[in-house]
Every structure is written in structure tokens, then in C-alpha cells.
């Protein structure tokens, strides 16, 4: 069965470290998205991609980067982790750009 | 500026009663609306959607109503069950390149 997987499920890192969160989907979806979920803020878009070699900034992209070298993967990199980036991160993919998102199970990141 | 707003962060309803979750939007370009449900430690999952050409869509106990003139939609759950306790996100899209999500409403259904 096709799926979307995120790894790791939990991560603790130190301030200033570079961290990469993985997202892998086997739906063959062109569109992939990274969100963070924080209490009181809901789901906020970090970065998204409409296809290989395409990346776009979302509302809260500062301090984050993504790259899309193939259809299946959209890794999210925190260049220099900050305590404000402690959050739960969700990856999603879709056939259409603005409906039918399928979400991964999330990565809980703690920056200490 | 938030384009999709869920003004009630929480809602508490007794089992068997109706739950009504509300959502407002500001962008007239939106023509497709969705509700996602999220349990703790899981990703959001699609629940129900509605196109702007309709004003109601029903799926079992779940009904979504759309009032385009008021830029308002609501999700009705009848009857509510304890397993419905979750965070519900309203989302909007269609011709805008991506989905916009509200901040979510925590629904608690008590016995």
C-alpha cells in the first residue's frame, strides 16, 4: 500500500545544531508540503514543492530549507536549530495542489 | 493575516448531542473546503469536503454546510460520540495553489 512516512518520530537536539527531518511518500504525488503544529497556531506552512527541483517558501520559512531531488522525498533542514523551532512537524503530499492532502504521522522535535 | 479562521479553540458536547464546529474565510478565490480530524500523536486525516457549487454535503453522521455569501462553513456531527473527541481543522483551497488551514478546534465529547 502507498504511504507517507516521516522519520524520526521523536528528536531531541541542541541549539545551533543542524537537523534534517525526513519525509518519504510512495503515492507518486508531485506535491509535497511541510507544516509545523503549535498550540494556538494550528498548522503553519513552512515550505512546499510542486515537483522535482521546485521549492517554495510558506508563511514560516525562516530558519528552514528543503530540497526536492526526486518525487518521493522532501527533507526539511533546520540550518541552526533554535528553541523556537521546538514543535511537531507534519509532512503531506497530494495529487492536486489544494485538496486531497495525505499527512504523515509527524515528528516531534525538541530543541534544548 | 489569517485567511481561514476558527474562532473557537475548544468545544465540549455531551454524547448523543449535536456538535457544531464553525469556520470563516476571507479569500473569495477559495472554492473548495475541507475538514480534517486529528488525534494526538497522529497526523491529520481527511474527514469531509465541499465544493463551492454546493451548500451542503453529508457523509453519515457528518454534514458540512457552506454559506458563500457569509464566507462561513460549519461541520455538524450528529450524534456525537466519545471517539469523535479530536482536533478539527478547517481548510480552504481551489485555484490558489495550496490549502490554507485554520487553527483548529478541540472537540471533547463526554459520556
Amino acid at each position: 500500500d502507498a504511504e507517507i512516512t516521516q522519520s524520526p518520530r521523536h528528536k531531541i537536539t541542541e541549539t545551533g545544531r543542524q537537523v534534517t527531518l525526513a519525509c518519504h511518500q510512495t503515492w507518486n504525488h508531485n506535491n509535497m508540503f511541510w507544516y509545523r503544529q503549535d498550540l494556538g497556531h494550528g498548522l503553519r506552512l513552512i515550505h512546499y514543492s510542486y515537483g522535482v527541483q521546485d521549492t517554495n517558501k510558506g508563511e514560516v520559512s525562516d530558519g528552514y530549507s528543503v530540497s526536492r531531488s526526486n518525487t518521493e522525498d522532501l527533507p526539511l533542514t533546520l540550518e541552526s536549530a533554535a528553541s523556537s523551532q521546538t514543535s511537531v512537524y507534519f509532512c503531506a503530499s497530494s495529487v492536486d495542489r489544494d485538496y486531497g492532502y495525505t499527512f504523515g504521522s509527524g515528528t516531534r522535535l525538541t530543541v534544548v | 493575516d489569517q485567511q481561514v479562521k476558527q474562532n473557537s479553540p475548544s468545544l465540549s458536547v455531551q454524547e448523543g448531542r449535536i456538535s457544531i464546529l464553525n469556520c470563516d474565510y476571507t479569500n473569495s478565490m477559495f472554492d473548495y473546503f475541507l475538514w480534517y480530524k486529528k488525534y494526538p500523536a497522529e497526523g491529520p486525516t481527511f474527514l469531509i469536503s465541499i465544493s463551492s457549487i454546493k451548500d451542503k454535503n453529508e457523509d453519515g453522521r457528518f454534514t458540512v454546510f457552506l454559506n458563500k455569501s457569509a464566507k462561513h462553513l460549519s461541520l455538524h456531527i450528529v450524534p456525537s460520540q466519545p471517539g469523535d473527541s479530536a482536533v478539527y481543522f478547517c481548510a480552504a483551497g481551489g485555484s490558489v495553489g495550496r490549502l490554507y488551514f485554520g487553527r483548529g478546534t478541540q472537540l471533547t465529547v463526554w459520556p
Side-chain angles (χ1 to χ4, degrees), chain B residues 2 5-10 22-24 104-105:
Chain B
Q2 272 202 297
K5 299 179 183 179
Q6 293 177 257
N7 292 320
S8 298
S10 64
N22 294 303
C23 179
D24 297 294
T105 297

Side-chain angles (χ1 to χ4, degrees), chain A residues 6 21 32-38 42-48 58-60 64 74 76 87-93 97-98 101-103 106-107, chain B residues 44 91-92 97-101:
Chain A
Q6 293 184 236
L21 309 183
M32 296 185 72
F33 308 84
W34 273 104
Y35 288 86
R36 59 178 288 176
Q37 184 196 7
D38 304 286
L43 293 166
R44 293 185 290 175
L45 184 63
I46 305 172
H47 282 286
Y48 56 104
E59 290 114 19
V60 291
Y64 303 94
L74 186 69
L76 178 70
S87 186
V88 181
Y89 291 84
F90 290 100
C91 178
S93 70
R97 293 181 177 185
D98 41 19
Y101 290 15
T102 300
F103 283 86
T107 294
Chain B
R98 47 158 287 202
L99 282 180
Y100 288 80
F101 285 86

Side-chain angles (χ1 to χ4, degrees), chain A residues 77-94:
Chain A
T77 298
L78 287 68
E79 304 294 344
S80 177
S83 58
S84 60
Q85 294 176 308
T86 292
S87 186
V88 181
Y89 291 84
F90 290 100
C91 178
S93 70
S94 69

Side-chain angles (χ1 to χ4, degrees), chain B residues 53-103:
Chain B
I53 62 173
K54 295 185 174 182
D55 54 19
K56 175 182 174 181
N57 188 28
E58 195 170 352
D59 183 2
R61 297 186 296 112
F62 302 90
T63 302
V64 57
F65 295 92
L66 176 62
N67 182 333
K68 290 186 292 293
S69 61
K71 292 190 175 66
H72 177 84
L73 64 155
S74 60
L75 174 68
H76 292 212
I77 307 173
V78 184
S80 301
Q81 299 173 355
D84 296 329
S85 297
V87 177
Y88 289 79
F89 290 102
C90 172
S95 306
V96 292
R98 47 158 287 202
L99 282 180
Y100 288 80
F101 285 86
R103 292 183 176 180

Side-chain angles (χ1 to χ4, degrees), chain A residues 8 10 15 19-20 25 49 60 82 90 99 101:
Chain A
H10 302 272
T15 302
V19 177
T20 297
Q25 52 98 1
S49 168
V60 291
F90 290 100
Y99 35 84
Y101 290 15

